[in-house]
Coordinates of all heavy atoms in Angstrom, one line a residue:
N144 N -142.7 129.5 77.9 CA -143.9 130.2 77.7 C -143.9 131.6 78.3 O -143.0 132.0 79.1 CB -145.1 129.4 78.3 CG -145.4 128.2 77.4 OD1 -144.9 128.1 76.3 ND2 -146.1 127.2 78.0
H145 N -144.9 132.4 78.0 CA -145.1 133.8 78.6 C -143.9 134.7 78.3 O -143.5 135.4 79.2 CB -145.4 133.7 80.1 CG -146.5 132.7 80.4 ND1 -147.9 132.9 80.0 CD2 -146.5 131.5 81.1 CE1 -148.6 131.9 80.4 NE2 -147.8 131.0 81.1
G146 N -143.3 134.5 77.2 CA -142.1 135.4 76.8 C -140.9 135.0 77.6 O -140.0 135.9 77.7
A147 N -140.7 133.8 78.1 CA -139.6 133.4 78.9 C -138.3 133.0 78.0 O -137.2 133.0 78.5 CB -139.9 132.2 79.8
M148 N -138.5 132.8 76.7 CA -137.4 132.3 75.9 C -136.3 133.3 75.8 O -135.1 133.0 75.9 CB -137.9 131.9 74.5 CG -138.5 130.5 74.5 SD -137.3 129.2 75.0 CE -136.2 129.1 73.6
L149 N -136.6 134.6 75.6 CA -135.6 135.6 75.4 C -134.9 135.8 76.7 O -133.6 135.9 76.7 CB -136.2 136.9 74.9 CG -135.2 138.1 74.7 CD1 -134.2 137.7 73.7 CD2 -136.0 139.4 74.3
P150 N -135.5 135.9 77.9 CA -134.8 136.0 79.2 C -133.9 134.8 79.4 O -132.8 134.9 79.9 CB -135.9 136.1 80.2 CG -137.1 136.7 79.5 CD -137.0 136.2 78.1
M151 N -134.4 133.6 79.0 CA -133.6 132.4 79.1 C -132.3 132.5 78.2 O -131.2 132.1 78.6 CB -134.4 131.2 78.8 CG -135.4 130.8 79.8 SD -134.7 130.3 81.4 CE -135.0 131.9 82.3
F152 N -132.5 133.0 77.0 CA -131.3 133.2 76.2 C -130.3 134.2 76.8 O -129.1 133.9 76.8 CB -131.8 133.7 74.8 CG -130.6 134.0 73.9 CD1 -130.0 133.0 73.1 CD2 -130.1 135.3 73.7 CE1 -129.0 133.3 72.2 CE2 -129.1 135.6 72.9 CZ -128.5 134.6 72.1
C153 N -130.8 135.3 77.3 CA -129.9 136.3 78.0 C -129.2 135.6 79.2 O -128.0 135.9 79.4 CB -130.7 137.5 78.4 SG -131.4 138.4 77.0
L154 N -130.0 134.8 79.9 CA -129.4 134.2 81.1 C -128.3 133.3 80.7 O -127.2 133.3 81.3 CB -130.5 133.5 81.9 CG -130.0 132.6 83.1 CD1 -129.4 133.5 84.1 CD2 -131.2 131.8 83.6
F155 N -128.5 132.4 79.8 CA -127.5 131.4 79.4 C -126.3 132.0 78.7 O -125.2 131.6 78.9 CB -128.1 130.3 78.6 CG -128.8 129.2 79.4 CD1 -130.2 129.3 79.6 CD2 -128.1 128.2 80.0 CE1 -130.9 128.3 80.3 CE2 -128.8 127.2 80.7 CZ -130.1 127.3 80.9
F156 N -126.6 133.1 77.9 CA -125.5 133.8 77.3 C -124.6 134.5 78.3 O -123.4 134.5 78.3 CB -126.0 134.8 76.2 CG -124.9 135.5 75.5 CD1 -124.4 134.9 74.3 CD2 -124.4 136.7 75.9 CE1 -123.4 135.5 73.6 CE2 -123.4 137.3 75.2 CZ -122.9 136.7 74.0
G157 N -125.3 135.2 79.3 CA -124.6 135.9 80.3 C -123.8 134.9 81.2 O -122.6 135.2 81.6
F158 N -124.4 133.8 81.5 CA -123.7 132.7 82.3 C -122.4 132.3 81.5 O -121.3 132.2 82.1 CB -124.6 131.6 82.5 CG -123.8 130.4 83.1 CD1 -123.4 130.3 84.4 CD2 -123.5 129.3 82.2 CE1 -122.7 129.2 84.9 CE2 -122.8 128.2 82.7 CZ -122.4 128.1 84.0
G159 N -122.5 132.0 80.2 CA -121.4 131.5 79.4 C -120.3 132.5 79.4 O -119.1 132.2 79.6
S160 N -120.6 133.8 79.2 CA -119.5 134.8 79.1 C -118.9 135.0 80.5 O -117.6 135.1 80.6 CB -120.1 136.1 78.6 OG -121.1 136.6 79.5
C161 N -119.7 135.1 81.5 CA -119.1 135.3 82.9 C -118.3 134.1 83.3 O -117.2 134.2 83.9 CB -120.3 135.6 83.8 SG -119.7 136.1 85.5
M162 N -118.8 132.9 83.1 CA -118.1 131.6 83.5 C -116.8 131.5 82.7 O -115.8 131.1 83.3 CB -119.0 130.4 83.3 CG -118.3 129.1 83.6 SD -117.7 129.0 85.3 CE -119.2 128.7 86.2
T163 N -116.8 131.9 81.5 CA -115.5 131.8 80.7 C -114.5 132.7 81.3 O -113.3 132.3 81.5 CB -115.8 132.1 79.2 OG1 -116.8 131.2 78.7 CG2 -114.5 132.1 78.4
A164 N -114.9 133.9 81.5 CA -113.9 134.9 82.1 C -113.5 134.5 83.5 O -112.3 134.6 83.9 CB -114.5 136.3 82.1
F165 N -114.4 134.0 84.3 CA -114.1 133.5 85.7 C -113.2 132.3 85.6 O -112.2 132.2 86.4 CB -115.4 133.1 86.3 CG -115.2 132.6 87.7 CD1 -114.8 133.4 88.8 CD2 -115.5 131.2 88.1 CE1 -114.6 132.9 90.1 CE2 -115.4 130.8 89.3 CZ -114.9 131.6 90.3
T166 N -113.3 131.4 84.6 CA -112.4 130.3 84.5 C -111.0 130.7 84.1 O -110.0 130.1 84.6 CB -113.0 129.3 83.4 OG1 -114.3 128.9 83.8 CG2 -112.1 128.1 83.3
Y167 N -110.9 131.8 83.3 CA -109.6 132.3 83.0 C -108.8 132.7 84.3 O -107.6 132.5 84.4 CB -109.7 133.5 82.0 CG -110.2 133.2 80.6 CD1 -110.7 134.1 79.8 CD2 -110.2 131.8 80.2 CE1 -111.1 133.8 78.5 CE2 -110.6 131.5 78.9 CZ -111.1 132.5 78.1 OH -111.5 132.2 76.8
C168 N -109.6 133.4 85.2 CA -108.9 133.8 86.4 C -108.5 132.6 87.3 O -107.4 132.6 87.8 CB -109.9 134.7 87.2 SG -110.3 136.3 86.5
L169 N -109.4 131.6 87.3 CA -109.0 130.4 88.1 C -107.8 129.6 87.5 O -107.1 129.0 88.2 CB -110.2 129.4 88.1 CG -111.4 129.7 89.0 CD1 -112.4 128.6 88.9 CD2 -110.9 129.8 90.5
S170 N -107.6 129.8 86.2 CA -106.6 129.0 85.5 C -105.2 129.3 86.1 O -104.3 128.5 86.0 CB -106.6 129.2 84.0 OG -106.2 130.6 83.7
F171 N -105.0 130.5 86.6 CA -103.7 130.9 87.1 C -103.3 130.1 88.4 O -102.2 130.2 88.9 CB -103.6 132.4 87.4 CG -103.7 133.2 86.2 CD1 -104.8 133.9 85.9 CD2 -102.6 133.3 85.3 CE1 -104.9 134.7 84.7 CE2 -102.7 134.0 84.1 CZ -103.8 134.8 83.8
L172 N -104.3 129.4 89.0 CA -104.0 128.7 90.3 C -103.4 127.3 90.0 O -103.0 126.6 90.9 CB -105.4 128.5 91.0 CG -106.1 129.7 91.4 CD1 -107.4 129.4 92.1 CD2 -105.2 130.6 92.4
F173 N -103.3 126.9 88.7 CA -102.9 125.5 88.4 C -101.7 125.5 87.5 O -101.5 126.4 86.7 CB -104.1 124.8 87.8 CG -105.4 124.8 88.5 CD1 -106.4 125.6 88.1 CD2 -105.5 124.1 89.7 CE1 -107.6 125.7 88.8 CE2 -106.7 124.2 90.4 CZ -107.8 125.0 89.9
D174 N -100.9 124.4 87.7 CA -99.7 124.2 86.9 C -99.8 123.1 85.9 O -99.1 123.0 84.9 CB -98.5 124.0 87.8 CG -98.1 125.2 88.7 OD1 -98.3 126.3 88.2 OD2 -97.7 124.9 89.8
T175 N -100.8 122.2 86.1 CA -101.0 121.0 85.2 C -102.4 121.0 84.8 O -103.3 121.3 85.6 CB -100.7 119.7 85.9 OG1 -101.5 119.5 87.1 CG2 -99.2 119.7 86.4
H176 N -102.6 120.7 83.5 CA -104.0 120.8 82.9 C -104.9 119.7 83.5 O -106.1 119.9 83.6 CB -103.9 120.7 81.4 CG -103.6 119.4 80.9 ND1 -102.3 118.9 80.8 CD2 -104.3 118.4 80.4 CE1 -102.3 117.7 80.3 NE2 -103.5 117.3 80.0
T177 N -104.4 118.5 83.9 CA -105.3 117.5 84.4 C -105.8 117.9 85.8 O -107.0 117.7 86.0 CB -104.5 116.2 84.5 OG1 -103.3 116.4 85.3 CG2 -104.1 115.6 83.2
R178 N -105.0 118.4 86.7 CA -105.4 118.9 88.0 C -106.4 120.1 87.8 O -107.4 120.2 88.5 CB -104.3 119.3 88.8 CG -104.7 119.7 90.3 CD -103.5 120.1 91.1 NE -102.6 119.0 91.3 CZ -101.3 119.0 90.9 NH1 -100.9 120.0 90.1 NH2 -100.5 118.0 91.1
A179 N -106.1 120.9 86.9 CA -106.9 122.1 86.6 C -108.3 121.7 86.2 O -109.3 122.2 86.7 CB -106.3 123.0 85.6
Q180 N -108.4 120.7 85.3 CA -109.7 120.3 84.8 C -110.6 119.7 85.9 O -111.8 120.0 86.1 CB -109.5 119.3 83.7 CG -110.8 118.9 83.0 CD -110.6 118.0 81.8 OE1 -109.7 117.1 81.8 NE2 -111.3 118.2 80.7
V181 N -110.0 118.8 86.7 CA -110.8 118.1 87.8 C -111.2 119.1 88.9 O -112.4 119.2 89.2 CB -109.9 117.0 88.4 CG1 -110.7 116.4 89.6 CG2 -109.7 115.9 87.4
L182 N -110.2 119.9 89.3 CA -110.5 120.8 90.5 C -111.5 122.0 90.0 O -112.3 122.4 90.8 CB -109.2 121.4 91.0 CG -108.4 120.4 91.8 CD1 -107.1 121.1 92.3 CD2 -109.1 119.7 92.9
T183 N -111.4 122.4 88.8 CA -112.3 123.5 88.3 C -113.7 123.0 88.3 O -114.6 123.7 88.7 CB -111.9 123.9 86.9 OG1 -110.5 124.5 87.0 CG2 -112.8 125.0 86.4

């Protein structure tokens, strides 16, 4: 309500893009995909 839907869309979209790029950086810390999935 009160015009919150557009800010919520921007928030979740920004979170998704930032989290994806942040995860790419974290991926270099791991050698196996199972350990990477759990620890991430």
Side-chain angles (χ1 to χ4, degrees):
N144 289 343
H145 310 294
M148 279 300 288
L149 181 57
M151 288 297 98
F152 175 84
C153 295
L154 173 65
F155 278 96
F156 184 86
F158 167 79
S160 61
C161 188
M162 176 55 78
T163 300
F165 179 67
T166 303
Y167 292 164
C168 291
L169 283 182
S170 68
F171 293 109
L172 301 177
F173 308 105
D174 295 324
T175 60
H176 71 280
T177 52
R178 184 183 295 115
Q180 187 174 37
V181 173
L182 291 181
T183 299

